[in-house]
Amino acid sequence: TKNNFNFNLTYYMMITIHALLMIFFMTMPIIIGVFSNWLIPLMISSQDLIYPRLNNLSMWILFPSLMMMMSSMFIKNKIFTGWTLYPPLSIQNNTSINMIILSIHLNGLSSIMSSMNFSISMINMNSNKMYLNNLSLYCWSIMITSMLLILSIPVLASGITMIIMDHNFNSMFFNPMGNGN
């Protein structure tokens, strides 16, 4: 009998999904999001963050993003590009790449909304509005991390948008045959 199951591709798919889940669904939402939602209001002496509904929307966007990421494993053509979505490997005719890229876009939107909420809350709801120097070290670390996320996620989004454009619309951003880089 002929067995079409390829263990190498399954291994690469599991490594890729594991890395994406750990980075985008464990580190960022749990370590930054959950602890910051709990600790920042306590440390700036306020009852809640400045925009609780934005915070709620940010959390609810994570669920469809996670479901899209997990369902991409069960599609016939699986992803095996590594967590960086290496362009020569990601320009394959594959719907799981599209689902993962959309999932990362939604996750990035959620991270930007949370980061804006944390930064604005620390600036505007601080008990001593005159100075930000009375913030704790944790608040400063979340403020700097939030600013870095707000600046870096659009760059990530543009890179993966170029991958999806190459994949679906035959643009030549990463294809050397079309002067891509």
Side-chain angles (χ1 to χ4, degrees):
T1 63
K2 185 178 179 182
N3 188 359
N4 287 333
F5 191 74
N6 191 340
F7 288 104
N8 288 338
L9 293 182
T10 303
Y11 172 77
Y12 291 141
M13 183 266 308
M14 293 300 283
I15 293 296
T16 300
I17 293 294
H18 176 264
L20 290 171
L21 284 174
M22 290 297 117
I23 293 169
F24 292 108
F25 293 98
M26 296 298 286
T27 304
M28 287 171 41
I30 292 176
I31 292 177
I32 294 173
V34 171
F35 287 130
S36 297
N37 281 327
W38 178 46
L39 291 174
I40 287 176
L42 293 174
M43 291 183 174
I44 62 173
S45 302
S46 75
Q47 291 182 354
D48 200 358
L49 294 174
I50 196 163
Y51 300 120
R53 290 188 180 169
L54 182 68
N55 220 12
N56 192 13
L57 178 64
S58 159
M59 188 219 38
W60 281 107
I61 287 176
L62 283 176
F63 291 115
S65 177
L66 178 63
M67 289 301 115
M68 230 177 290
M69 177 83 65
M70 296 303 290
S71 64
S72 72
M73 290 191 311
F74 302 110
I75 294 176
K76 182 180 177 186
N77 297 330
K78 295 175 177 41
I79 182 170
F80 53 91
T81 61
W83 73 273
T84 58
L85 297 175
Y86 185 54
L89 294 177
S90 64
I91 314 250
Q92 46 185 312
N93 195 4
N94 186 330
T95 33
S96 89
I97 297 275
N98 292 341
M99 291 179 72
I100 286 189
I101 288 176
L102 183 58
S103 170
I104 293 174
H105 273 294
L106 288 174
N107 194 312
L109 178 67
S110 170
S111 295
I112 287 175
M113 288 192 297
S114 293
S115 295
M116 287 177 15
N117 198 10
F118 297 148
S119 298
I120 293 170
S121 295
M122 284 185 276
I123 291 170
N124 289 339
M125 297 181 77
N126 193 3
S127 59
N128 186 0
K129 291 185 194 267
M130 193 84 165
Y131 303 104
L132 287 177
N133 61 359
N134 66 340
L135 288 176
S136 68
L137 186 61
Y138 180 77
C139 289
W140 274 109
S141 69
I142 293 300
M143 174 97 67
I144 292 169
T145 303
S146 295
M147 293 302 165
L148 289 173
L149 280 172
I150 290 170
L151 292 173
S152 66
I153 291 206
V155 176
L156 169 72
S158 65
I160 60 177
T161 302
M162 286 188 269
I163 290 174
I164 207 165
M165 295 289 283
D166 280 356
H167 179 238
N168 291 324
F169 302 113
N170 292 328
S171 61
M172 300 290 178
F173 290 112
F174 296 111
N175 189 354
M177 299 296 279
N179 288 331
N181 196 355

